[in-house]
Amino acid sequence: DFRERDGAQAVNLTVVLVLVVIFSFGIGHLLTRYASRFVTLSGAEYILVGVLIGPHFPWKLVSEQALVQLSPLISLLLGLVGFVIGLRGRSGPRRLDVTLVGWVSALLVLMTVAAAVIPVLRWLVPVNEVDADFVVNQLVYRGFGYLIEVHFASTHLWVALGIGASAAVASPLLLESMTRLTGSKGRVSMMLESTAAASQVVAVLVLGGVLATARATEAAGRFSMTVAEWELAAIGVGVVSGLLFGLFIGKESEPSRIFLATVGLVTFASGVGAALSISPLFVTMLAAVTVSVTSSHAERVRVHVGRLQHALFVLLMIFAGALWNPVSGWEWLLPVFYVLVRFAARRVGTALCAKLILDPPLLARRLGNGLLSQGTLAVAVGVNFAQRFPEFASLILTTVLIGTLLSDLFSTRMLRALLADAGELGDELEGEATRAEAST
């Protein structure tokens, strides 16, 4: 009886999953067809599809129990996203100053948002500091009868850094789409593309470092491993997974076997990352970088994974929406606060770095306007942190998903205006040339 019941549940879950995917692509197509006349859609609309089929609507196409059973699939999707980021990172520009702008500006956004979010988290979601792994209580200033001190628990720090990592992400896909449609090119376009790619790597590295550190402090009483040892272990898992791919595939050249080996690599690395409570995103990104460096099949792997990219991103957005449990009361202030702080930090940080690091300096005050779109990776980082800190899952997903949706509403318009001001919007350049020829 138990076997029959388990088999029936597995079949039902599979049927539900297939129906969910078909339904989601159908709704997504309708949204793209009709809503695109009024707003620019970037793929984040699939979050709304996930919300509609999730357990918080009366029809409950996907129940909470089904989402728990689908956790391994969600971890696999996270791993595939990390693998795509790792493969893409090898194809970016090589200029050191441009890469530094991307890294430094992303870190500035991350630290600014995290520092701003910590006091809000302490106010909205207080924790029992006795249960925390550690508590920071540092006196900053004493004078004139006043004390200024920094005080927070480890849990608030991890969650704030997770939200900051999501904020640091800028999606390069919007710029690639703009380039494809308008033919935009120039120094600003190149800098934006490189900065967006670097921001994704920074976000995943910080994600992996934070989750490995949280794992180390949490397991300090059970294991003798230090924080540095946990970090090295997380890096080692990714690198070894990438090396195993080359060892397993050997000199094989048949596309189907290369594809199967790639899926096997991502499944293995994602499973290890999830089992160790570190990060499937982090482990698979390092595995992909290792494959890119050591394997002669790297380009074929990139082609195979590229074909799955759209469906992969859509599925992750759908599951993120289904996992989302909206907050209530004052907690709705955090997403608004997140969007405002991220906007200011991205504007100031990007312009400052472009002025101080680039050679020659790029003086454009609104340069950060081209990096407001967040895309799938920001959502993936939020989902990964929500899985790791379930007591904060509702607040994390509300902040990241609402922030992604709001940013994507106006990011295309701001990017287009920035490129037009820089004189790099291809279709407008062609229009000016045509008007000049007509006038002569």
Side-chain angles (χ1 to χ4, degrees), residues 417-432:
L418 172 65
L419 295 177
D421 290 344
E424 297 183 8
L425 207 55
D427 54 359
E428 294 191 4
L429 291 175
E430 292 177 2
E432 291 177 1

Side-chain angles (χ1 to χ4, degrees), residues 350-370:
T350 308
L352 186 64
C353 290
K355 181 179 179 181
L356 298 179
I357 299 176
L358 286 182
D359 185 24
L362 184 57
L363 304 177
R365 292 179 300 171
R366 298 189 299 168
L367 206 56
N369 285 5

Side-chain angles (χ1 to χ4, degrees), residues 23-55:
F23 173 79
S24 302
F25 273 93
I27 294 296
H29 175 72
L30 292 176
L31 283 172
T32 303
R33 182 175 180 180
Y34 296 107
S36 59
R37 299 184 226 174
F38 309 102
V39 295
T40 301
L41 300 176
S42 63
E45 63 273 10
Y46 287 101
I47 295 173
L48 302 178
V49 176
V51 172
L52 292 175
I53 66 175

Side-chain angles (χ1 to χ4, degrees), residues 191-208:
M191 199 282 297
L192 291 176
E193 184 177 353
S194 178
T195 301
S199 75
Q200 294 188 315
V201 177
V202 169
V204 176
L205 289 178
V206 171
L207 165 71

Side-chain angles (χ1 to χ4, degrees), residues 46-102:
Y46 287 101
I47 295 173
L48 302 178
V49 176
V51 172
L52 292 175
I53 66 175
H56 305 293
F57 272 73
W59 41 83
K60 293 185 179 181
L61 293 179
V62 179
S63 65
E64 293 185 7
Q65 183 181 2
L67 287 174
V68 172
Q69 293 176 328
L70 290 171
S71 293
L73 175 60
I74 296 173
S75 295
L76 176 60
L77 291 174
L78 292 175
L80 285 167
V81 171
F83 200 76
V84 170
I85 300 301
L87 291 176
R88 186 188 296 161
R90 291 282 298 171
S91 59
R94 304 288 179 174
R95 280 188 54 178
L96 179 60
D97 59 341
V98 177
T99 303
L100 279 176
V101 169

